[in-house]
Amino acid sequence: MIKKNRKADGGTAKMSSKRLKEVEELVLPASKLKFCSEQLQNLNFIFTKKLDEEYDPEYSKAVSLAKSITERLIQRLLCGVGMMEPRFASKFLVTLHDDSVFNEELDYLVRLDSLSTPKLHPTEYSPKYTIVEGNSGNRLAGYAQVRLHQPYCVDWQEFVNPKGYLRRDKVQAKLVELLSVAASTDVPDSPLTVDESLVCGSPGKIMDALTLHQVLHIPSEKHVFYGPSGKTPRFPNPRDFKLAIVDDPSGIRIRVGFHSPALSSICIDVRLLVAIGFDAWPSSSNFPVRVPLGHSDCVLYYKAAQTGLYLVGYGVQSIGWQIRLPAAECTLESNYSPNSTVRRIFLILSSVLREINEDHRRYQVPPPKPVPFNCYRFPIEFSTPTHSDRRSSRTSKTTYQPPRRSP
């Protein structure tokens, strides 16, 4: 639960009817969407309310601490995944969330280095595959398919269909399985015991997509990252948390609860998106070609179009990978100062869109045949028949708590 305080002098009163009549309807020239004056007035009210919101400083500090601990826990799990299965190793962790937005959510992009370009080391073998874009046939707009070539297809044989296309659902399900195993093991317990050339153990390797794009074009022998503090740094122990790992079409969902009394009221929702990075630009996009050369931000747009793309595991199609451009988005967002009007409008609209998506997900009617998913929960819940109900089908639920580490 997020605790909010409202400013005493916050101007959230509704505008007068005379002022409301002065707000003319708005028509977007590209999409032809029309917004009436009442809709624009509601948007103005939401903007004012968002600007006047303040959060409890003590609660904000606790949430920041919980998110920091959760981030280190995610690093430990991904290090364990990379040590068990090198094909799923990721040297960096890409952040998709905005640290300036106060919430209890964390979004990350897990880059599969074995399939991504550019390669981490120049001596590594580059995979051979074909990216199929477009919305013809059974392909959706904004999605692409990855067809592996021989002999590289043999290395990923259990994740490809008979036609050689890489299956997103199987890759994501395997990562969920590896995460569940990593959460139940005791290794790695320290970032000093992991191979930093292959996995993400250092806190300095967590960065946004634009920074990663710049780092990948620097020789690996010149990489220097911030390390963990303390003489004997250690990762958080998964037994100190209540974890629920779910394979969902929108990504891998991890809900993190805390056994610590100071953070027991906080739960952090983490979403991991498995992704393949490419140092290319989607051929199906008309950006930035549609931007006239006389535009004031033309150079900025063409610079953003040189930051590559990611094929992300998102959606219900088995071989469809969603095309995302997080580095280009960071390029456009970072062009404006944090206190600029453009930046403030963008943050508020992102917050409004997030609330709309949450409300839609909360009230939407479930489909008649839901998409199957794998769920791994810690603590594990199971059912055992009671002594009095041996003859009936009723059961009592028992919760198994993993043994906590002694101090």
Side-chain angles (χ1 to χ4, degrees), residues 107-170:
D107 289 345
Y108 298 102
L109 207 66
V110 181
R111 180 181 185 266
L112 299 181
D113 295 334
S114 59
L115 290 174
S116 302
T117 58
K119 306 301 296 181
L120 298 178
H121 308 283
T123 57
E124 291 182 351
Y125 175 75
S126 298
K128 303 296 182 181
Y129 43 70
T130 302
I131 302 176
V132 183
E133 298 182 44
N135 56 354
S136 60
N138 59 349
R139 294 191 298 270
L140 298 177
Y143 283 77
Q145 300 173 357
V146 181
R147 186 173 185 177
L148 300 180
H149 297 171
Q150 296 290 349
Y152 203 78
C153 186
V154 179
D155 299 336
W156 295 81
Q157 184 175 4
E158 65 269 34
F159 304 106
V160 298
N161 64 2
K163 295 183 179 180
Y165 288 99
L166 186 65
R167 295 192 54 172
R168 173 210 57 83
D169 54 347
K170 287 191 174 182

Side-chain angles (χ1 to χ4, degrees), residues 276-352:
I276 305 174
F278 297 97
D279 197 10
W281 191 255
S283 59
S284 57
S285 173
N286 62 351
F287 178 87
V289 179
R290 68 172 185 264
V291 180
L293 296 179
H295 195 279
S296 58
D297 291 332
C298 179
V299 177
L300 173 65
Y301 295 154
Y302 275 86
K303 180 181 178 181
Q306 300 175 6
T307 54
L309 63 91
Y310 284 89
L311 296 184
V312 178
Y314 186 93
V316 296
Q317 281 197 333
S318 61
I319 60 175
W321 296 77
Q322 188 182 50
I323 301 175
R324 292 200 181 186
L325 312 168
E329 295 175 3
C330 291
T331 303
L332 300 178
E333 295 172 11
S334 60
N335 185 62
Y336 306 97
S337 64
N339 296 327
S340 63
T341 303
V342 176
R343 181 65 174 172
R344 285 179 175 269
I345 293 176
F346 175 78
L347 291 178
I348 292 177
L349 290 179
S350 299
S351 177
V352 173

Side-chain angles (χ1 to χ4, degrees), residues 180-397:
S180 65
V181 176
S184 60
T185 59
D186 296 330
V187 291
D189 60 345
S190 172
L192 301 178
T193 61
V194 301
D195 186 0
E196 291 289 354
S197 64
L198 298 176
V199 295
C200 180
S202 173
K205 291 184 177 180
I206 303 177
M207 58 190 69
D208 58 66
L210 178 59
T211 305
L212 177 58
H213 171 74
Q214 299 169 353
V215 169
L216 291 176
H217 288 80
I218 301 175
S220 58
E221 61 271 11
K222 297 182 180 180
H223 290 180
V224 178
F225 304 99
Y226 285 107
S229 60
K231 296 182 180 179
T232 56
R234 292 188 176 276
F235 283 121
N237 195 316
R239 291 187 174 88
D240 296 334
F241 303 87
K242 295 175 288 186
L243 300 178
I245 306 176
V246 179
D247 184 1
D248 189 78
S250 61
I252 301 175
R253 301 281 182 171
I254 304 178
R255 188 170 181 83
V256 181
F258 299 85
H259 288 303
S260 173
L263 303 175
S264 59
S265 61
I266 301 176
C267 287
I268 305 298
D269 294 323
V270 183
R271 183 177 67 165
L272 300 179
L273 294 174
V274 58
I276 305 174
F278 297 97
D279 197 10
W281 191 255
S283 59
S284 57
S285 173
N286 62 351
F287 178 87
V289 179
R290 68 172 185 264
V291 180
L293 296 179
H295 195 279
S296 58
D297 291 332
C298 179
V299 177
L300 173 65
Y301 295 154
Y302 275 86
K303 180 181 178 181
Q306 300 175 6
T307 54
L309 63 91
Y310 284 89
L311 296 184
V312 178
Y314 186 93
V316 296
Q317 281 197 333
S318 61
I319 60 175
W321 296 77
Q322 188 182 50
I323 301 175
R324 292 200 181 186
L325 312 168
E329 295 175 3
C330 291
T331 303
L332 300 178
E333 295 172 11
S334 60
N335 185 62
Y336 306 97
S337 64
N339 296 327
S340 63
T341 303
V342 176
R343 181 65 174 172
R344 285 179 175 269
I345 293 176
F346 175 78
L347 291 178
I348 292 177
L349 290 179
S350 299
S351 177
V352 173
L353 181 60
R354 190 183 306 109
E355 293 179 359
I356 292 175
N357 292 333
E358 291 177 356
D359 292 339
H360 174 70
R361 191 182 303 112
R362 186 181 301 115
Y363 297 111
Q364 66 180 349
V365 179
K369 293 182 179 181
V371 179
F373 62 90
N374 300 325
C375 180
Y376 301 87
R377 291 186 179 273
F378 303 89
I380 305 172
E381 294 184 353
F382 58 93
S383 299
T384 56
T386 61
H387 179 72
S388 59
D389 296 333
R390 293 291 183 180
R391 299 180 180 179
S392 63
S393 59
R394 294 183 300 173
T395 58
S396 64
K397 182 173 290 187

Side-chain angles (χ1 to χ4, degrees), residues 58-124:
E58 294 297 330
Y59 187 75
S60 301
K61 187 182 299 184
V63 171
S64 299
L65 176 61
K67 293 172 72 172
S68 176
I69 297 175
T70 302
E71 192 169 68
R72 294 295 291 160
L73 174 64
I74 297 300
Q75 278 192 283
R76 170 179 177 147
L77 297 180
L78 292 178
C79 286
V81 169
M83 295 171 64
M84 289 185 293
E85 180 55 85
R87 292 179 298 179
F88 287 80
S90 181
K91 184 179 178 180
F92 303 94
L93 188 59
V94 182
T95 58
L96 297 179
H97 56 271
D98 194 338
D99 293 330
S100 61
V101 178
F102 178 79
N103 55 29
E104 299 172 355
E105 300 175 356
L106 295 173
D107 289 345
Y108 298 102
L109 207 66
V110 181
R111 180 181 185 266
L112 299 181
D113 295 334
S114 59
L115 290 174
S116 302
T117 58
K119 306 301 296 181
L120 298 178
H121 308 283
T123 57
E124 291 182 351

Side-chain angles (χ1 to χ4, degrees), residues 16-24 37:
S16 62
S17 58
K18 182 179 179 181
R19 181 72 179 277
L20 179 60
K21 294 180 180 179
E22 297 177 358
V23 181
E24 299 179 355
S37 59

